[in-house]
Amino acid sequence: MRMNRIVNLNLRAKLILLYFLTIFIPLLVTGQIILSVSGKKIIEQTTSITQESSTQTALNVQDRLGGYVDIVNRLSVDQTLINYLNPDRVYASELESIDAYDLYLKPVTFYDFNYKNPLAKLNILFLNATLLQDHNIFIFADDEARARRDYREAVQAGGKLVWGVSGDEVFVARSVYNIKKRLTAVISMQVPEDSLYALISESKMSDKIAVIADGGGNVISSNDRELVGRSVADRTFFRPDAAAPFEVRDSADGRSYKVIVGKLGGSSSLPDWRILTLVPIDHLIDDERKIRQTGLLVMGLGLVVSCGIFLLALGRITDRVKALVKKMQTVKNGELSLLQDEGAQDEIGALTRNFNGMIENLQRSIYENYEVNLKLKDITIKKQEAELYALQNQIHPHFLFNTLESIRMGLHNQGDEETATIVMNFANLFRHLLHWQGEFIPLREEIDLVRKYLTIQKYRFRERIQYELEIEPGLAEALIPKLTLQPLVENAVKHGAESTRSGRIRVSVRAAGDGTMVAAIVDNGKGIPPEQLARIRRELADPEIKKSGSIGLKNVHDRIHLHFGPEYGVTIDSPAEEGGTLVRVTMPIRSAKDGTEGGNRDVQSSDRG
């Protein structure tokens, strides 16, 4: 089939197709492959560079934190310092305390700390009440000092290093004890968060996001200042145990990132922190996109120029063919005119001369055949229309209605009111079927049609048939496809009620509470054998079956599917033990006013007969 379509293309289309297949598409595919390979290489290089930068940043942070650990550990094992701070040692006078401070306490902290770590702050919180404090480094551990977080956590750790965050500072602290295992002091280093931020900034992160967080997801420092002090444990990019880079879409800002995770804690002395580097995917492939765009632009310009030259040359070749085709189109529309012959002796010139000869022959024969046939055809059509109109007049509905009304009046005059009522219902039923317009009608009209039908059947079978109609008043104006319930009620009468001496038919329509309504038609007949019931269900479920043993059920089911979708339709059930048949029709509630779904759960109204 596709080959026939290609064969039937005009010459210009075939040449253009040949150009695309042999030049345009191969060049485009080759360019795309080259750009794709180079783009992936750029992404790999960018990822590698970013990972190396993240690793270097982690090493810088480790070196900085390791320096603080060295100071705290060195002071914690300095026995001379511990002896001076020993709470069991009593300084008899202020002069003796000042001498201790000048001779050892001040030098041991001043030269090794102040010159090397100007940004950090050292506190030695001692418990010796007789030793003077300088309120700078050496501070007596009174109630206020003991309430500090670094003091409390260091004491709880029992001589082990502890890391934590207090305000906008990161601290590392350790408690020291005298020879009697009595708490002597707490040595604490407080580092401004800005110093860690400076290390992150030095790595030239540009548009990347760097986050230093503890194992629980609490952000210690970040170049995104809004994240500092917050928790990212619930963010999709926080995977503290990730060993390799991974891609993730952050639910908070909706952006996609490549995340590189590096651990700081290489030993027991360093904190169990992570450095997470978030590289936006769109920026990660920015270079690749630029190269791709440039390549596509150059390739596109080349293709445009090539295509333009090709089309220009092709146009000169096919102009005469297009003129011939255009003239053929005018002939197809009934305009028989000759094409100007330029006198060329090539194939196109031969086509032009043959075409003009054909037009001349058509002009000569048009009055001999075409116009005569048109007149005969017009006469035949008018005769058929007149016969159809006469046939329609013979069965005009008013004649039937007038006849039924005459019968009803005759019965009324004879005193047979019951039969007259049945005739009137039949006339109204027939009138409804003829004058219903459109596909949808209010539910109350369908119920009224069912009521008239059951009244006629009750007249036939007398006490052998009883019926009951129930409808929620709020659903009376809901729109349904016309002739939805009447065929199902007719099936219930024919196959159910007629098979028993005391037939009962119940029709109820209720709202289901989820924007749908369910119409149930129940009879107390003999029911349907299991094999036949299974066949009917297969026919309802198979859309390929257009006709089946249950024409009314299938017709209603297919129309509901067509109007509302496959989730709605007809279901049928017939319990073998209980007998009888239950048919349910599920439809959405469509308002008669504006076509929207709705429905009120009012008090039910019923009709029995």
Side-chain angles (χ1 to χ4, degrees):
M1 183 62 70
R2 293 182 178 177
M3 184 59 66
N4 290 336
R5 292 181 180 178
I6 295 176
V7 171
N8 293 330
L9 291 175
N10 57 43
L11 179 62
R12 181 182 178 86
K14 288 179 180 178
L15 292 176
I16 292 176
L17 179 62
L18 181 63
Y19 167 78
F20 272 91
L21 291 177
T22 58
I23 299 176
F24 189 91
I25 293 179
L27 180 60
L28 188 63
V29 172
T30 303
Q32 285 289 348
I33 293 174
I34 295 174
L35 292 176
S36 178
V37 172
S38 62
K40 290 180 180 178
K41 203 67 178 178
I42 291 174
I43 292 177
E44 292 176 0
Q45 292 177 354
T46 305
T47 303
S48 177
I49 293 172
T50 303
Q51 194 165 2
E52 292 177 1
S53 175
S54 177
T55 302
Q56 184 59 48
T57 302
L59 292 175
N60 294 340
V61 175
Q62 286 180 356
D63 290 342
R64 178 67 60 84
L65 298 181
Y68 300 142
V69 170
D70 291 341
I71 294 174
V72 173
N73 285 337
R74 182 181 60 78
L75 295 177
S76 299
V77 298
D78 190 333
Q79 292 299 322
T80 304
L81 175 64
I82 295 174
N83 289 334
Y84 274 105
L85 300 177
N86 191 348
D88 296 332
R89 181 173 182 173
V90 179
Y91 293 92
S93 65
E94 292 184 358
L95 182 60
E96 184 179 354
S97 177
I98 293 173
D99 289 341
Y101 179 77
D102 289 338
L103 290 175
Y104 189 81
L105 298 179
K106 180 179 179 180
V108 78
T109 58
F110 183 81
Y111 292 106
D112 289 341
F113 173 72
N114 287 344
Y115 287 143
K116 296 180 180 179
N117 301 277
L119 297 178
K121 181 173 64 175
L122 174 66
N123 286 151
I124 300 178
L125 307 174
F126 60 87
L127 279 77
N128 192 326
T130 62
L131 179 65
L132 295 179
Q133 57 181 338
D134 63 359
H135 297 286
N136 182 22
I137 296 178
F138 292 91
I139 301 173
F140 176 67
D142 54 11
D143 292 341
E144 180 180 355
R146 295 181 185 184
R148 288 171 45 169
R149 182 176 179 181
D150 52 352
Y151 183 92
R152 289 186 286 104
E153 294 187 4
V155 172
Q156 292 175 359
K160 296 181 180 179
L161 281 172
V162 294
W163 290 87
V165 179
S166 179
D168 58 352
E169 294 181 330
V170 178
F171 67 82
V172 53
R174 183 176 181 181
S175 59
V176 296
Y177 300 84
N178 60 14
I179 196 171
K180 297 179 181 180
K181 304 299 181 181
R182 182 181 177 186
L183 179 63
T184 300
V186 171
I187 301 174
S188 174
M189 289 276 293
Q190 296 94 46
V191 183
E193 182 270 334
D194 290 344
S195 64
L196 299 180
Y197 170 64
L199 293 177
I200 297 176
S201 302
E202 289 176 359
S203 62
K204 298 181 180 179
M205 290 291 181
S206 64
D207 57 345
K208 306 175 184 66
I209 299 176
V211 177
I212 300 178
D214 61 18
N218 299 309
V219 177
I220 310 299
S221 181
S222 173
N223 60 353
D224 185 353
R225 306 308 290 168
E226 294 183 357
L227 295 177
V228 178
R230 298 184 178 182
S231 174
V232 294
D234 58 342
R235 300 283 285 271
T236 53
F237 63 78
F238 184 70
R239 300 179 187 174
D241 297 328
F246 59 92
E247 294 184 8
V248 69
R249 184 178 181 85
D250 187 17
S251 57
D253 58 12
R255 299 184 66 183
S256 297
Y257 297 95
K258 180 178 282 293
V259 183
I260 301 172
V261 181
K263 292 186 178 181
L264 290 180
S267 63
S268 60
S269 60
L270 291 177
D272 186 22
W273 293 352
R274 276 80 173 162
I275 291 186
L276 290 82
T277 303
L278 282 68
V279 185
I281 297 296
D282 52 349
H283 291 283
L284 180 64
I285 61 175
D286 186 59
D287 292 339
E288 186 268 345
R289 184 186 294 110
K290 290 179 180 178
I291 292 178
R292 181 181 292 273
Q293 290 175 347
T294 302
L296 289 176
L297 179 61
V298 173
M299 186 168 57
L301 290 175
L303 291 175
V304 168
V305 173
S306 172
C307 186
I309 295 174
F310 175 80
L311 292 176
L312 182 62
L314 180 62
R316 294 181 179 275
I317 297 173
T318 59
D319 277 346
R320 293 167 61 200
V321 177
K322 289 170 62 178
L324 180 60
V325 172
K326 183 177 179 180
K327 180 59 66 173
M328 290 181 179
Q329 292 293 334
T330 60
V331 172
K332 179 181 177 181
N333 295 331
E335 181 183 343
L336 301 180
S337 59
L338 299 178
L339 178 64
Q340 182 178 359
D341 187 4
E342 298 179 354
Q345 300 301 316
D346 56 8
E347 291 83 355
I348 300 177
L351 285 174
T352 301
R353 288 188 291 274
N354 290 332
F355 174 78
N356 289 337
M358 180 189 68
I359 295 301
E360 291 174 351
N361 292 333
L362 285 175
Q363 288 174 341
R364 284 193 301 267
S365 62
I366 190 169
Y367 293 105
E368 299 174 2
N369 299 307
Y370 183 69
E371 289 186 353
V372 174
N373 290 335
L374 281 180
K375 290 180 180 179
L376 291 175
K377 186 176 181 180
D378 185 59
I379 292 172
T380 302
I381 292 175
K382 289 182 178 180
K383 180 179 178 181
Q384 292 175 348
E385 289 178 350
E387 293 175 350
L388 179 60
Y389 181 74
L391 179 61
Q392 290 176 342
N393 285 336
Q394 290 177 5
I395 59 170
H396 198 280
H398 288 291
F399 169 75
L400 297 176
F401 294 147
N402 292 338
T403 302
L404 290 173
E405 181 63 18
S406 298
I407 295 173
R408 187 186 72 82
M409 290 303 298
L411 293 171
H412 175 73
N413 294 334
Q414 294 177 10
D416 191 351
E417 293 294 339
E418 183 180 9
T419 307
T421 301
I422 294 301
V423 173
M424 181 180 66
N425 286 336
F426 179 73
N428 291 335
L429 182 69
F430 186 59
R431 189 184 302 272
H432 267 92
L433 296 176
L434 286 177
H435 291 89
W436 264 348
Q437 299 294 327
E439 282 292 327
F440 291 86
I441 61 171
L443 177 60
R444 56 177 171 77
E445 292 189 13
E446 181 77 11
I447 293 297
D448 186 54
L449 177 65
V450 171
R451 183 183 296 108
K452 289 181 174 62
Y453 172 78
L454 289 174
T455 301
I456 295 172
Q457 295 301 324
K458 185 169 178 60
Y459 175 77
R460 290 179 56 203
F461 297 100
R462 298 297 178 180
E463 298 304 323
R464 287 179 55 192
I465 290 184
Q466 303 293 331
Y467 67 87
E468 181 180 353
L469 304 178
E470 290 189 5
I471 175 175
E472 292 188 12
L475 300 177
E477 297 300 324
L479 294 179
I480 66 172
K482 63 183 179 182
L483 292 179
T484 296
L485 303 182
Q486 192 276 335
L488 304 181
V489 174
E490 185 175 344
N491 279 349
V493 173
K494 181 178 179 181
H495 303 290
E498 289 185 10
S499 63
T500 179
R501 293 183 176 275
S502 180
R504 294 190 306 273
I505 297 176
R506 185 173 183 271
V507 180
S508 63
V509 184
R510 302 174 183 273
D514 56 352
T516 63
M517 60 180 174
V518 178
I521 298 92
V522 185
D523 67 68
N524 65 337
K526 295 181 180 179
I528 305 175
E531 298 81 5
Q532 184 180 355
L533 180 62
R535 178 180 56 79
I536 293 174
R537 287 174 174 170
R538 287 195 302 269
E539 291 171 352
L540 291 178
D542 190 350
E544 298 300 326
I545 298 178
K546 301 304 180 182
K547 293 183 179 180
S548 66
S550 299
I551 299 176
L553 283 173
K554 180 66 173 175
N555 180 271
V556 172
H557 184 72
D558 290 346
R559 286 193 293 126
I560 292 176
H561 267 208
L562 179 63
H563 288 301
F564 304 125
E567 65 270 25
Y568 303 101
V570 177
T571 60
I572 184 170
D573 193 16
S574 182
E577 300 82 2
E578 303 174 7
T581 303
L582 169 61
V583 178
R584 290 189 180 92
V585 184
T586 305
M587 295 173 288
I589 300 175
R590 301 291 182 180
S591 172
K593 294 181 179 179
D594 54 12
T596 59
E597 295 186 7
N600 300 320
R601 302 302 300 270
D602 297 330
V603 180
Q604 294 180 355
S605 62
S606 63
D607 185 15
R608 292 176 173 82

